[in-house]
Amino acid sequence: RSRLDMRPQGGPPATEQLVAEETAQRLQLLEEVYQQVPALIQVFLFDLLTGAVLARKGRGDSQVKIGMLAEKVPAMALYLRDLVATDDDDRMEDVEIGASRVTVVVAVVEETQEAVALFADKSQPTTLISGAVQRAIRAYAARLRARGVPTLG
């Protein structure tokens, strides 16, 4: 059965309700990361098949400074994911990029073919950032499975 077939009669159309529920789940994922990473500049969720940004959250004026780099992250992640996949059907889990003032972590949500990209000030250790992102991703995937949303994992 389709997710759309499982919606109750009445109320908003099933597609609108589905989009609203998925948007709420995505925003909750970003909020969890936002709360756990004090040095966060920007975090966003994007589709791994198209590179389209699905949700975004940030803090402060620093978002403007990383804007051009943030625009390139989905395309770079898609390229790296395809490159890794050519090696015996391997899969990319995450990528870390360190610059003099900023750390970028991109982590794959395998169950939904999405990825989280996080930009943080270099003051926070990368291991803490990666751990926070991975915990939020596991919680997000678990919530989707609990709601009966079809996932790949």
Side-chain angles (χ1 to χ4, degrees), residues 49-137:
L49 302 175
T50 64
V53 174
L54 304 170
R56 183 184 308 263
K57 187 168 180 71
R59 92 173 28 112
D61 295 333
S62 299
Q63 292 185 83
V64 175
K65 295 177 186 173
I66 55 110
M68 290 181 69
L69 179 58
E71 285 180 24
K72 303 297 182 192
V73 166
M76 180 194 66
L78 294 171
Y79 172 75
L80 290 173
R81 181 173 172 256
D82 290 344
L83 191 62
V84 169
T86 62
D87 184 29
D88 293 328
D89 204 28
D90 200 1
R91 293 186 306 201
M92 182 177 83
E93 293 176 3
D94 57 33
V95 175
E96 297 174 11
I97 302 170
S100 60
R101 291 184 222 153
V102 69
T103 297
V104 182
V105 174
V106 179
V108 173
V109 184
E110 193 66 39
E111 293 86 350
T112 59
Q113 294 298 296
E114 298 169 332
V116 175
L118 180 140
F119 290 75
D121 185 89
K122 195 78 170 183
S123 63
Q124 189 157 1
T126 306
T127 54
L128 296 177
I129 294 169
S130 294
V133 171
Q134 289 299 332
R135 282 189 300 278
I137 284 173

Side-chain angles (χ1 to χ4, degrees), residues 129-151:
I129 294 169
S130 294
V133 171
Q134 289 299 332
R135 282 189 300 278
I137 284 173
R138 284 192 300 273
Y140 172 63
R143 283 192 305 271
L144 293 177
R145 282 191 299 275
R147 295 187 63 80
V149 175
T151 60

Side-chain angles (χ1 to χ4, degrees), residues 23-39:
T23 299
Q25 291 296 325
R26 290 174 178 139
L27 292 174
Q28 184 176 352
L29 165 64
L30 298 186
E31 182 62 32
E32 289 171 2
V33 173
Y34 184 86
Q35 295 299 325
Q36 293 180 35
V37 182

